Amino acid sequence: MTDIPINYKLLVERFEQIIYDNIAIKLTAFRGFNENVKSDFEKTMKSFPLINFVVESLLVDIVLTTNKIVEVNSDRTINYLLNFTEQNYKILNKDFPRITKEMLSKNKAELATLDEQFKRLKTQRDKYYAHSDKQYFLEPGRIIKDFPNTYND
């Protein structure tokens, strides 16, 4: 018996955890906290004085975690999962008949449409959140101006 179906199942389960139990929840919290701060800064700061630290921590975590799963050269990324599935399609299709070649093509195409957002997040990570380039170290707010975030990113 081959380990391919087991490995596939483990990969899918782990990505589900990362995306739905981690990134999505943190992104929702980030968005809610950020909107509260923007809508009524004084009231929010009085009721939760540490909110700016929480918002920044959530943003850093979201950027770093998202980058981990979309990096190009790693065996722990969504691209790796799609390539693994495509390469082992015949074996996997026996245990997972809902996997189709059309579905894989569609998933790859959809992921490719996000390349610009992934590049922007990677640049943010590399220049500020992980490595702190001099220009962004001295002006931390500049990273968002130079490489804007959106909730959709």
Side-chain angles (χ1 to χ4, degrees), residues 41-94:
F41 180 80
E42 287 184 35
K43 181 180 175 187
T44 304
M45 290 304 291
K46 282 182 183 176
S47 61
F48 190 12
L50 298 175
I51 195 160
N52 282 335
F53 299 111
V54 172
V55 169
E56 183 179 11
S57 295
L58 285 167
L59 179 59
V60 170
D61 188 277
I62 291 164
V63 168
L64 294 176
T65 304
T66 302
N67 271 285
K68 286 179 188 177
I69 64 170
V70 298
E71 284 181 318
V72 178
N73 298 321
S74 173
D75 63 354
R76 293 170 301 279
T77 67
I78 294 171
N79 271 324
Y80 174 83
L81 172 64
L82 291 173
N83 290 334
F84 175 86
T85 306
E86 192 172 59
Q87 291 167 1
N88 296 290
Y89 174 76
K90 289 181 181 179
I91 295 168
L92 290 170
N93 191 255
K94 293 174 188 171

Side-chain angles (χ1 to χ4, degrees), residues 27-42 44 51-52 55 58 150-151:
L27 187 57
T28 301
F30 169 79
R31 185 177 187 173
F33 288 147
N34 200 35
E35 288 174 0
N36 276 339
V37 169
K38 286 180 180 178
S39 70
D40 193 344
F41 180 80
E42 287 184 35
T44 304
I51 195 160
N52 282 335
V55 169
L58 285 167
T150 68
Y151 293 128

Side-chain angles (χ1 to χ4, degrees), residues 10-25:
L10 291 172
L11 283 168
V12 169
E13 287 172 355
R14 183 62 184 128
F15 282 116
E16 284 178 347
Q17 286 175 333
I18 293 169
I19 294 167
Y20 298 111
D21 298 342
N22 188 320
I23 295 172
I25 292 170

